[in-house]
Amino acid sequence: MSVSIASFLDHAKADMDAARLATQNGDAAKTFEQMANAIACLGECIKLLDTRTAAVESEHPAPPPPPLG
């Protein structure tokens, strides 16, 4: 099963929306919980992007830099 970056972003957005609502309702604990969940989702996105970037770079290495001078 492939994990989608978009699905993590969707979850992060939903958590941010829930945090916004909790803030409007004055529920600091719920706001903190939802913000922590959103940050965790964004962290997972970064891990997936790093993994995919490394895979692409290993298949298509960058050319060496031009000589100096």
Side-chain angles (χ1 to χ4, degrees), residues 12-54:
K13 183 183 181 318
D15 287 328
M16 291 298 294
D17 290 342
R20 189 175 301 110
L21 181 61
T23 300
Q24 290 170 351
N25 292 332
D27 188 345
K30 187 69 173 175
T31 298
F32 181 81
E33 176 186 351
Q34 294 303 137
M35 291 293 290
N37 290 342
I39 291 167
C41 286
L42 294 174
E44 290 300 318
C45 286
I46 292 168
K47 288 180 195 174
L48 285 172
L49 288 170
D50 284 345
T51 300
R52 292 179 185 179
T53 299

